[in-house]
Amino acid sequence: MTRSKTWIDNPSTPRFVPPPGAVDAHVHVFGPEADFPFSPKAKYHPEDATPEMLFALRDRLGFSRNVIVQASCHGTDNAATLAGIAKSNGAARGVAVVDPDIGMDELQRLHAGGIRGVRFNFLKRLVDHAPKDKFLEIARQIEPLGWHVVVYFEADLLEELMPFLEAIPTIVVVDHLGRPDIAQGPDGRDIAAFKALLDTHPHIWTKVSGAERLSIHGPPFDDFVEVVRPIVEAFPDRVLWGTDWPHPNMEHRVPDDGTLVDVIPRIAITEELQRKLLVTNPERLYWRA
Ligand code: 0GY
């Protein structure tokens, strides 16, 4: 398999200047493969995207901190994510992917290494199995640690997942707004169903990320802004934002991270909304202790 490269080395410098302490709350590290081989079950084979590259990007974009989310290509071996956090001098925390038989000792080890959540991935193109009963077992185990759950699914699964999401005893953060069809517009079926979910479930948060994945028309992502700005304004205390660098599986449309950052002041139009989105909300989930 050819190794895929899904990021640009010299993204533009954004016009938007993030507030002090800003967190890019959805990034990954890949490898380096020589130290941290990919899972035999990985569905893509990326080039190395190292912590050093991540921190250089963070500085270029004007962010202070990162949340490193375990990517599916590393399976349930969180070593690359932990190594990234360890190299950050306290400027990164992480989200792990774990098996249900993990046990409290290993969870404590992950906590000491900066992990503050677990991710459940429902995308068939990324994982072979998404066992809800096992995921709930994991959610019950991580609750006493004060962690939360990150869930990645697409809009057509939302209705089926409702009882599962309701049964999770911790805060739940949905990746990329549950991937609505943006072509339906701000009053479309998908985003209306997702908004109803947030309206009726105060424990559910969302990452208002993924402009490059969800937009039909691409930069400057007007269609994404039109759909997502009302979500930020309706749920200002339950939203996070991330670049999603190094943008797994985006080889067909590799984004410019600077352009992505310039979407922020268009979906969070006041300084207060920007501070909540980039500082206060991620601090609550990742830097409480
Ligand atoms: C993302 C999106 C994707 C990949 C993964 O864990 C992963 O491999 O999350 C995707 O391909 O949509 O958020 O990174």
Side-chain angles (χ1 to χ4, degrees):
M1 209 195 292
T2 334
R3 297 184 71 181
S4 52
K5 181 168 179 200
T6 44
W7 64 94
I8 56 174
D9 293 322
N10 290 301
S12 61
T13 302
R15 285 185 303 277
F16 174 66
V17 178
V23 180
D24 178 349
H26 190 93
V27 298
H28 311 286
V29 290
F30 297 151
E33 188 174 14
D35 301 328
F36 306 110
F38 297 110
S39 161
K41 294 183 193 154
K43 303 291 184 240
Y44 55 95
H45 187 186
E47 283 190 19
D48 293 342
T50 64
E52 291 76 13
M53 293 157 68
L54 170 64
F55 303 146
L57 177 82
R58 175 199 67 199
D59 295 346
R60 183 176 186 113
L61 299 179
F63 280 77
S64 307
R65 296 178 280 186
N66 294 116
V67 177
I68 304 177
V69 177
Q70 171 80 353
S72 60
C73 56
H74 278 297
T76 54
D77 180 350
N78 296 283
T81 296
L82 288 168
I85 298 169
K87 285 186 173 165
S88 74
N89 294 319
R93 290 273 158 96
V95 173
V97 176
V98 304
D99 290 315
D101 59 0
I102 181 162
M104 199 37 90
D105 286 353
E106 178 64 4
L107 287 174
Q108 295 282 11
R109 190 182 75 85
L110 294 178
H111 190 89
I115 299 294
R116 293 293 181 270
V118 287
R119 190 181 197 210
F120 303 148
N121 192 333
F122 285 92
L123 266 70
K124 290 196 176 68
R125 68 179 163 79
L126 295 174
V127 291
D128 294 328
H129 306 288
K132 294 196 215 45
D133 52 338
K134 298 214 162 49
F135 287 164
L136 281 178
E137 264 180 60
I138 294 168
R140 284 190 281 268
Q141 288 187 69
I142 57 105
E143 185 190 8
L145 292 159
W147 292 11
H148 62 283
V149 163
V150 172
V151 186
Y152 191 22
F153 60 84
E154 291 176 330
D156 60 353
L157 221 60
L158 174 57
E159 202 177 320
E160 183 200 318
L161 285 184
M162 212 74 126
F164 166 75
L165 297 173
E166 285 169 354
I168 296 176
T170 67
I171 287 176
V172 175
V173 181
V174 178
D175 279 338
H176 314 325
L177 303 123
R179 298 199 58 130
D181 178 1
I182 291 285
Q184 297 168 358
D187 301 317
R189 190 188 59 234
D190 289 356
I191 200 69
F194 189 65
K195 187 167 180 300
L197 176 81
L198 296 175
D199 266 330
T200 48
H201 297 81
H203 75 297
I204 301 187
W205 296 31
T206 185
K207 287 180 201 157
V208 287
S209 50
E212 74 289 11
R213 293 183 193 277
L214 300 177
S215 171
I216 310 299
H217 304 300
F221 306 113
D222 294 347
D223 50 354
F224 179 86
V225 169
E226 192 187 12
V227 169
V228 174
R229 181 179 151 183
I231 299 286
V232 174
E233 292 177 354
F235 308 101
D237 299 312
R238 290 192 269 150
V239 285
L240 304 174
W241 185 87
T243 51
D244 201 0
W245 185 90
H247 312 292
N249 301 305
M250 287 297 288
E251 44 274 89
H252 57 293
R253 203 162 76 173
V254 177
D256 171 356
D257 297 279
T259 307
L260 291 176
V261 171
D262 278 328
V263 172
I264 295 172
R266 301 173 64 213
I267 58 172
I269 63 166
T270 67
E271 282 187 16
E272 168 79 356
L273 288 171
Q274 292 159 13
R275 200 175 42 76
K276 288 182 175 213
L277 177 65
L278 300 175
V279 185
T280 324
N281 298 345
E283 271 186 352
R284 185 171 155 208
L285 295 186
Y286 296 100
W287 272 276
R288 257 188 319 182

